Amino acid sequence: MSGFSVELVRPAAFAGLLATTVLLGACATEGQPRPAERMVNLGFEDVAVEDPAHLKQLGGRLDQVQATAVSIAVGRTDWTAFPWEAHPESVSAEVKRTGRDFVAESIAALQQPGPLQQSGTAQQSGTRQKRDVILTIDVLLDKAITADPSLAGHNTVGKASGSFASLSSLRTGAAGIQLAELAAAVAKRYRPAAVNLTELMFDEYTFGPDDLQDFTSAMHRSDWPRRADGTIDTAAADVTIWRTHAMADIVRKVRSAVEPFGVDLDMDVRSPGVSASADRADSGQDYGLLLEQLDRIHVWEYVGLNNERSPGTEELVKALRQRAGTRYSLSIGLWSGDGSISPDELERTLRLAADGGAASVSVTPASLMGDGHWDALRRAWAR
């Protein structure tokens, strides 16, 4: 699950902003830890919104919780939130209809916090630093695969994915080329602190004929490793090695595309399934290999979707600090089987992350945050 929704859904209207006098109360105290970087992630549904009041309200919310960074969804290579002159066929319906650059509008509305206020008065007492802007690219390809089915990955029984490109298409083919082009365009156009990749993972759709050709060439084999019954052994060491090195190659090309513009490259990764000190090589995400190419990984801590075997938040943070230092951020997801986790669960997770020593934490997505969630964020982050 990415930092923004697959479906373009109109977000629920935000309730009115709380009065300043109320917001100044019940905030985190100086003795309580909080991450140095505190980020809120905006999905496409929060970015491509035609009502200008929506971004103004979000800006006010970010001020209240003292967010130091904001992640803004720019779309996909086949569905962008800005006019992409090099690929006009790829812009979203919202951009085609309005001609607007929703990404630029979001940056303008959210990068600069509002002025600080003196408690109990309306007088300005200074301004906050600009927030870091992270621009997130979703790597899924529904629209492009519909137009060109050859891009699709296939599972072990030959079923094509409607969203995931094949490994070979990303590593050496058209999907990877256009991904690097989009990353470069975003880096050049907006000069964010970083471009971030999400949904870049290998699940079950890396076993089509084109991927077999890539595998046999890379691993010097004549066929997939197979079980005694003749089926593909998807957990074989050779498959894992092949997929993790292919992922590193893909990321390396994207990094080369953004480097000329002085922009960092980040990537969302799945959190370990059982051991806090593990990674997700089963999805092609070997943290160590990736950090050779990336500036930072954003580790999904989606507590509402975790199972009983998942490592605890504080344990996970401590393990990440040991292996990645400051080159990771904990991404707390609000999704759950019931829609979203409760404000109490969010606050508890934020506290555990801070207690574990997390230097960077984000909450995703903004569209699932109600008043209670924003209150929880304010209590955990604001001073």
Side-chain angles (χ1 to χ4, degrees):
M1 191 171 296
S2 68
F4 57 98
S5 302
V6 172
E7 300 291 338
L8 179 58
V9 180
R10 192 88 171 169
F14 280 95
L17 298 178
L18 299 176
T20 300
T21 54
V22 175
L23 288 169
L24 289 173
C27 294
T29 65
E30 289 295 338
Q32 295 173 325
R34 67 170 180 172
E37 182 182 63
R38 306 174 297 279
M39 183 164 68
V40 175
N41 300 327
L42 273 62
F44 195 93
E45 70 279 5
D46 272 316
V47 175
V49 175
E50 297 183 30
D51 181 4
H54 180 65
L55 287 177
K56 183 177 180 180
Q57 287 179 325
L58 274 176
R61 296 286 204 185
L62 296 177
D63 288 348
Q64 292 158 11
V65 302
Q66 295 183 16
T68 63
V70 60
S71 172
I72 297 171
V74 302
R76 304 173 177 174
T77 58
D78 59 0
W79 189 38
T80 65
F82 67 95
W84 190 9
E85 291 81 3
H87 290 278
E89 76 285 357
S90 295
V91 302
S92 66
E94 292 73 24
V95 173
K96 288 180 180 177
R97 185 177 68 254
T98 65
R100 289 167 59 181
D101 184 336
F102 292 103
V103 177
E105 291 177 18
S106 297
I107 294 172
L110 303 176
Q111 184 175 36
Q112 180 64 63
L116 291 167
Q117 304 290 324
Q118 288 184 343
S119 178
T121 76
Q123 295 179 351
Q124 296 182 7
S125 61
T127 57
R128 303 178 178 94
Q129 288 186 327
K130 283 186 177 181
R131 296 186 183 96
D132 283 339
V133 171
I134 314 298
L135 297 182
T136 295
I137 298 171
D138 186 328
V139 181
L140 297 179
L141 290 180
D142 303 52
K143 181 180 172 184
I145 286 174
T146 298
D148 182 2
S150 70
L151 297 174
H154 293 75
N155 66 11
T156 57
V157 297
K159 179 184 177 182
S161 173
S163 299
F164 287 93
S166 67
L167 178 151
S168 60
S169 182
L170 283 165
R171 189 182 204 177
T172 59
I177 291 171
Q178 194 153 332
L179 176 61
E181 287 181 5
L182 178 57
V186 167
K188 180 179 180 180
R189 188 180 187 113
Y190 304 109
R191 304 301 170 103
V195 169
N196 180 55
L197 305 176
T198 192
E199 300 288 1
L200 181 53
M201 66 187 75
F202 298 137
D203 203 353
E204 58 179 315
Y205 295 103
T206 62
F207 298 100
D210 54 343
D211 286 341
L212 175 58
Q213 184 176 356
D214 191 287
F215 174 79
T216 56
S217 175
M219 303 305 295
H220 307 290
R221 295 183 57 127
S222 60
D223 192 14
W224 300 114
R226 295 187 181 272
R227 304 183 183 93
D229 63 1
T231 58
I232 299 172
D233 184 357
T234 58
D238 277 359
V239 171
T240 299
I241 292 169
W242 166 65
R243 299 207 298 182
T244 55
H245 282 80
M247 183 71 75
D249 283 348
I250 295 162
V251 171
R252 185 181 301 112
K253 289 182 180 179
V254 180
R255 184 198 66 189
S256 296
V258 303
E259 273 184 334
F261 307 104
V263 173
D264 286 352
L265 182 64
D266 296 353
M267 178 174 159
D268 286 4
V269 296
R270 287 174 160 173
S271 60
V274 179
S275 170
S277 60
D279 52 29
R280 292 307 298 266
D282 60 312
S283 296
Q285 297 174 341
D286 179 315
Y287 296 173
L289 279 178
L290 288 173
L291 285 171
E292 292 178 10
Q293 311 303 329
L294 296 166
D295 292 282
R296 182 169 57 167
I297 54 174
H298 298 266
V299 183
W300 289 348
E301 174 64 329
Y302 293 174
V303 292
L305 303 178
N306 286 346
N307 58 47
E308 64 278 0
R309 301 179 66 197
S310 300
T313 300
E314 189 172 357
E315 178 190 9
L316 175 60
V317 167
K318 289 178 178 178
L320 288 168
R321 285 176 58 199
Q322 287 184 343
R323 69 186 304 180
T326 59
R327 297 177 61 201
Y328 80 93
S329 181
L330 194 73
S331 177
I332 300 173
L334 298 180
W335 296 278
S336 77
D338 297 326
S340 65
I341 63 174
S342 69
D344 287 345
E345 180 69 4
L346 172 61
E347 187 165 3
R348 186 182 76 85
T349 306
L350 289 165
R351 294 296 182 199
L352 289 171
D355 290 343
S360 176
V361 173
S362 67
V363 176
T364 184
S367 59
L368 285 182
M369 294 183 68
D371 286 342
H373 297 94
W374 286 107
D375 272 352
L377 209 54
R378 176 177 51 81
R379 287 191 294 270
W381 286 357
R383 291 285 186 263

